[in-house]
Amino acid sequence: MSPPKHLFISYAHLDNQPLPEEPEGWVSRFHTYLENFLEQNLGEDATVWRDDRLRGNDAFAEEIVDQFMDTAVLVSVVSPRYSKSEWCTKEVDAFCRAAEAQGGLSVGNKVRIFKVMRIPVPTEQQLPVMREMLGYEFYVKEGDRVLPLDPAFGKESGEVYRRRVFLMAQDIAETLRALQPSQERAPERL
C-alpha cells in the first residue's frame, strides 16, 4: 500500500509570487497541472500537498516534518532562492530522513526526489542530494538568456510547459507504482 500522500512540493515562496496580471503564481499553477496530470496517469485521485501558509520568518513546522513519513515523493522547485533557503534545506533533509526510515530514498535506479529546474542553478549551488540528479528543465534558452516556461508567457511557452508537466507526472506515477507492493489488480472494465 502506498503512503496516503503521493507527493509534497517544496519551493521558495518567492518563486510563487504572481505576476501583476496573473491571479496565481508559478508554483500554484504547477501544483494544479501536476495534480491533474498525475491523477490521469494513476487513474485515481492523487494527494499533492505543499505548504502555502508558512513564511520565511516562521519556525520550521513539525507538522510538515511529521507528514513526511506518509509522503512517497518530494518535488523540489529549484531556483536561486530555493538553494539559499534554510527552510527548503530543512524540508529536503527531513524528507530524506523519513524516506530512509521507510526503506530508502531510491526505488531501483530512481530517486524519490524530483528536481524541477525553473531556471538554471549551478550544480555547486544546489543542495548536495540533488547535485547528481538530472532533473526536469522548465525553461528554454534564447541565445545566451533563459526564459522560464510559463503559460503566462504565451501559447507556445504554455504548450511546452504543459507537455513537460505531463511527462514528469508519468515518471512520478511510475515511481509511485514501484513503491507499491505487488498486489492483484481487479480486471479493468472496457
Side-chain angles (χ1 to χ4, degrees):
M1 181 176 183
S2 68
K5 294 174 183 68
H6 291 101
L7 68 91
F8 176 74
I9 299 173
S10 175
Y11 67 101
H13 287 268
L14 178 68
D15 295 324
N16 196 34
Q17 291 180 345
L19 298 171
E21 65 278 2
E22 296 294 322
E24 60 185 1
W26 193 93
V27 176
S28 295
R29 254 188 320 281
F30 175 78
H31 181 152
T32 300
Y33 278 106
L34 183 60
E35 187 168 18
N36 183 292
F37 292 155
L38 183 58
E39 288 175 346
Q40 290 175 26
N41 279 282
L42 290 173
E44 64 186 48
D45 289 343
T47 304
V48 177
W49 64 290
R50 65 187 163 97
D51 159 44
D52 57 359
R53 297 173 290 130
L54 300 173
R55 300 293 176 247
N57 63 339
D58 289 340
F60 188 64
E62 287 302 314
E63 67 186 64
I64 291 176
V65 174
D66 291 344
Q67 292 185 60
F68 284 149
M69 288 303 288
D70 295 325
T71 302
V73 169
L74 176 76
V75 173
S76 293
V77 180
V78 178
S79 67
R81 177 65 186 131
Y82 187 90
S83 297
K84 295 175 185 175
S85 169
E86 183 180 335
W87 189 285
C88 295
T89 299
K90 286 180 181 181
E91 288 175 346
V92 172
D93 290 345
F95 177 81
C96 288
R97 282 193 309 278
E100 289 299 333
Q102 297 170 344
L105 190 57
S106 297
V107 180
N109 65 345
K110 308 288 185 196
V111 181
R112 292 170 51 188
I113 297 174
F114 287 75
K115 178 172 73 171
V116 171
M117 301 293 291
R118 189 164 171 256
I119 59 175
V121 175
T123 303
E124 63 275 3
Q125 293 177 16
Q126 295 176 30
L127 299 179
V129 72
M130 294 183 195
R131 290 180 184 159
E132 299 297 318
M133 296 176 197
L134 295 176
Y136 296 80
E137 293 179 355
F138 278 84
Y139 60 87
V140 292
K141 293 183 179 179
E142 291 191 0
D144 61 347
R145 295 180 182 233
V146 172
L147 181 66
L149 290 173
D150 192 327
F153 291 154
K155 183 179 177 186
E156 185 178 324
S157 181
E159 288 172 358
V160 175
Y161 166 87
R162 286 185 291 276
R163 193 174 308 122
R164 291 195 185 169
V165 176
F166 192 86
L167 292 171
M168 183 179 174
Q170 286 180 338
D171 292 345
I172 292 170
E174 183 180 310
T175 300
L176 291 171
R177 283 190 285 274
L179 283 168
Q180 292 179 343
S182 297
Q183 56 189 6
E184 243 181 81
R185 295 178 184 255
E188 291 186 32
R189 293 184 189 177
L190 299 178

